[in-house]
């Protein structure tokens, strides 16, 4: 079997390449079973020395999501997401941020494969990260700097987005010796 045909690789690669950030959500709730499947899948993400330096805190409460939406310049979409996953990382390790990015991507990919939309957000400046860390009930060495909005995608409002679309061609991104 050739590598491109192993285990349905073509379909899997198309699924990976089709993941897009969703900033608009319907009012439909995210099923608890789907949320469990997403987080259970994410916990299998690899990490340096298998430390698994992450903890997940989910937020469904509308008032708390509203507060989270004010904790960063690009966090407003958290207000309309039925679920926000707060990603707490153990910052006692230099590689925790990298591992956190890996688990965040797997949360978004698992949601995508279940037909849900997602969009990450970084909480900044430091005061906002501290505020969100407290909302999640965490204390050092745990800190929350990343949230992930989850929900059923809704069409974006009409108009032009301020966020660029498309991708650079591979020959711009890839060099070889």
């Amino acid at each position: 079997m050739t590598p491109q045909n192993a285990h349905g690789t073509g379909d899997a690669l198309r699924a990976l390449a089709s993941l897009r950030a969703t900033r608009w959500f319907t009012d439909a709730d995210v099923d608890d079973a789907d949320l469990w499947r997403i987080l259970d899948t994410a916990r299998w993400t690899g990490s340096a020395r298998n430390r698994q330096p992450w903890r997940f805190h989910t937020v469904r409460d509308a008032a708390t999501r509203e507060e989270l939406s004010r904790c960063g310049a690009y966090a407003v979409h958290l207000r309309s997401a039925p679920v926000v996953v707060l990603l707490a990382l153990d910052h006692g390790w230099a590689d925790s941020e990298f591992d956190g990015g890996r688990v965040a991507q797997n949360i978004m990919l698992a949601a995508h494969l279940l037909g849900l939309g997602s969009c990450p957000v970084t909480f900044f400046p430091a005061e906002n990260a501290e505020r969100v860390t407290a909302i999640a009930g965490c204390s050092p060495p745990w800190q929350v700097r990343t949230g992930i909005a989850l929900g059923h995608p809704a069409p974006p409002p009409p108009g032009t987005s301020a966020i660029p679309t498309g991708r650079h061609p591979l020959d711009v991104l890839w060099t070889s010796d």
Side-chain angles (χ1 to χ4, degrees), residues 76-96:
V76 71
H77 63 277
L78 299 181
R79 176 184 312 140
S80 66
V83 177
V84 175
V85 177
L86 299 177
L87 178 57
L89 296 179
D90 178 347
H91 281 274
W93 306 100
D95 42 23
S96 292

Side-chain angles (χ1 to χ4, degrees), residues 85-89 97 104 120-123 132 143-148:
V85 177
L86 299 177
L87 178 57
L89 296 179
E97 289 291 327
V121 63
T122 301
F123 298 109
V132 175
Q143 183 184 41
V144 178
R145 295 188 57 217
T146 303
I148 303 168

Side-chain angles (χ1 to χ4, degrees), residues 13 22 34 41 48 65 86 97 104 159 175-176:
L13 291 176
T22 299
D34 283 342
T41 299
R65 288 184 286 117
L86 299 177
E97 289 291 327
T175 61
S176 180

Side-chain angles (χ1 to χ4, degrees), residues 8-61:
T9 303
D11 290 340
L13 291 176
R14 277 189 291 282
L16 290 171
S18 67
L19 175 64
R20 296 290 180 270
T22 299
R23 292 175 181 84
W24 305 99
F25 303 94
T26 69
D27 291 336
D29 200 10
V30 172
D31 184 73
D32 284 340
D34 283 342
L35 184 58
W36 187 90
R37 288 171 68 192
I38 292 164
L39 296 177
D40 191 50
T41 299
R43 75 183 178 90
W44 287 96
T45 302
S47 62
R49 290 162 297 290
N50 196 31
R51 278 196 203 105
Q52 304 167 59
W54 49 70
R55 298 296 181 268
F56 312 121
H57 179 84
T58 56
V59 177
R60 291 182 183 268
D61 177 71

Side-chain angles (χ1 to χ4, degrees), residues 87-118:
L87 178 57
L89 296 179
D90 178 347
H91 281 274
W93 306 100
D95 42 23
S96 292
E97 289 291 327
F98 181 79
D99 291 340
R102 293 177 70 191
V103 76
Q105 183 76 358
N106 280 352
I107 289 170
M108 294 181 290
L109 286 168
H112 179 58
L113 292 173
L114 292 173
L116 297 171
S118 65

Side-chain angles (χ1 to χ4, degrees), residues 111-176:
H112 179 58
L113 292 173
L114 292 173
L116 297 171
S118 65
C119 187
V121 63
T122 301
F123 298 109
F124 65 91
E127 297 80 30
N128 283 338
E130 291 168 10
R131 198 162 120 208
V132 175
T133 298
I135 289 170
C138 297
S139 57
W142 299 95
Q143 183 184 41
V144 178
R145 295 188 57 217
T146 303
I148 303 168
L150 293 176
H152 297 274
T160 304
S161 174
I163 298 169
T165 60
R167 293 289 183 266
H168 295 298
L170 187 54
D171 62 350
V172 170
L173 303 172
W174 181 12
T175 61
S176 180

